[in-house]
Amino acid sequence: DAGVTQSPTHLIKTRGQQVTLRCSPISGHKSVSWYQQVLGQGPQFIFQYYEKEERGRGNFPDRFSARQFPNYSSELNVNALLLGDSALYLCASSSTGGPYNEQFFGPGTRLTVL
Amino acid sequence: AQKITQTQPGMFVQEKEAVTLDCTYDTSDPSYGLFWYKQPSSGEMIFLIYQGSYDQQNATEGRYSLNFQKARKSANLVISASQLGDSAMYFCAMRDFKAAGNKLTFGGGTRVLVKP
């Protein structure tokens, strides 16, 4: 079975632009979480979605938004990009999204904002 | 609020030797889980080992073991018989089991370089 997939692998944008990152969970998994990992730091939680509903939100501005589709794939949108949004964006999926389920991470999308 | 601290930014270890990576945490919740992940240069986070706050024994997974000292709020990872492929970033993370979701709070990481 395929693991968590993310697209694109790399992305270069300029300040003020908007970006959409995509994530496909492991088949059968209904929960997707997004994390931002700035270079040299640990990942920080952005969102969790389960059954198309937002289950958790981290301390990120409203420029960050996400949604989950009926097939459980997910998109993360970032508007009005800032230089500080340059990071590796990781997606993780889990079966039910509860606290006892293991999360499986994708390879990430590396976003560079110029 | 939960907090994870990894005080070792980087470590060298000789191949075939053991290495201990430190992790301390802070939480007021009695029910939580502690995780260790490996992140190679490719970027993907690879799950290594898990310890629940109520587990009586320290977790072990192959060459990985977790030295869990609940009273000191530490969960150090021990990698035995280091291999060149162990060179990577290692992250300690915590999950609060009272919360409905599965948010992980990560530490800042420790870079391990295994020397031949």
Side-chain angles (χ1 to χ4, degrees), chain B residues 26-44:
Chain B
D26 189 20
T27 181
S28 57
D29 300 314
S31 181
Y32 52 88
L34 295 158
F35 302 77
W36 277 92
Y37 285 87
K38 172 185 178 181
Q39 187 177 43
S41 56
S42 59
E44 188 169 351

Side-chain angles (χ1 to χ4, degrees), chain A residues 20-23 34 65-69 73-77:
Chain A
T20 298
L21 311 181
R22 295 176 176 81
C23 171
W34 288 95
S65 63
R67 56 178 174 168
Q68 188 177 32
F69 298 98
S73 66
S74 177
E75 287 182 351
L76 174 70
N77 294 285

Side-chain angles (χ1 to χ4, degrees), chain A:
Chain A
D1 284 343
V4 178
T5 59
Q6 294 186 243
S7 62
T9 305
H10 296 86
L11 202 53
I12 299 175
K13 293 285 188 178
T14 56
R15 282 181 298 174
Q17 285 189 312
Q18 175 264 341
V19 68
T20 298
L21 311 181
R22 295 176 176 81
C23 171
S24 292
I26 292 172
S27 177
H29 284 192
K30 298 181 178 180
S31 175
V32 168
S33 297
W34 288 95
Y35 291 82
Q36 180 197 63
Q37 186 178 17
V38 173
L39 190 63
Q41 298 180 19
Q44 284 204 311
F45 173 76
I46 310 176
F47 287 110
Q48 182 195 358
Y49 275 78
Y50 174 66
E51 291 278 19
K52 295 167 285 182
E53 298 286 331
E54 182 182 299
R55 180 167 274 188
R57 173 187 285 255
N59 189 23
F60 280 81
D62 292 342
R63 299 185 296 107
F64 289 77
S65 63
R67 56 178 174 168
Q68 188 177 32
F69 298 98
N71 66 353
Y72 304 111
S73 66
S74 177
E75 287 182 351
L76 174 70
N77 294 285
V78 187
N79 293 323
L81 285 166
L82 303 175
L83 296 180
D85 295 331
S86 294
L88 179 68
Y89 289 84
L90 294 164
C91 173
S93 78
S94 62
S95 54
T96 65
Y100 297 97
N101 291 135
E102 182 180 347
Q103 288 185 81
F104 297 84
F105 283 84
T109 293
R110 195 167 296 278
L111 172 66
T112 302
V113 182
L114 302 176

Side-chain angles (χ1 to χ4, degrees), chain B:
Chain B
Q2 298 177 336
K3 185 177 180 181
I4 298 282
T5 302
Q6 296 180 252
T7 57
Q8 307 152 308
M11 298 186 70
F12 286 100
V13 58
Q14 201 67 38
E15 192 179 10
K16 300 180 184 177
E17 291 186 350
V19 61
T20 298
L21 308 184
D22 295 340
C23 172
T24 58
Y25 59 92
D26 189 20
T27 181
S28 57
D29 300 314
S31 181
Y32 52 88
L34 295 158
F35 302 77
W36 277 92
Y37 285 87
K38 172 185 178 181
Q39 187 177 43
S41 56
S42 59
E44 188 169 351
M45 301 290 281
I46 301 168
F47 167 76
L48 296 178
I49 196 167
Y50 163 80
Q51 179 85 42
S53 60
Y54 292 118
D55 292 345
Q56 296 297 313
Q57 293 187 328
N58 287 341
T60 61
E61 285 287 348
R63 295 187 299 111
Y64 304 106
S65 60
L66 205 152
N67 183 3
F68 180 47
Q69 298 186 49
K70 192 171 182 178
R72 301 177 69 176
K73 292 189 175 179
S74 74
N76 299 338
L77 176 71
V78 180
I79 306 174
S80 62
S82 296
Q83 302 171 357
L84 295 179
D86 294 334
S87 294
M89 284 291 293
Y90 289 81
F91 291 95
C92 180
M94 165 184 280
R95 177 179 296 156
D96 170 17
F97 287 156
K98 280 172 52 180
N102 60 8
K103 168 189 172 182
L104 285 168
T105 300
F106 285 86
T110 296
R111 181 173 298 280
V112 172
L113 185 59
V114 180
K115 298 185 293 183

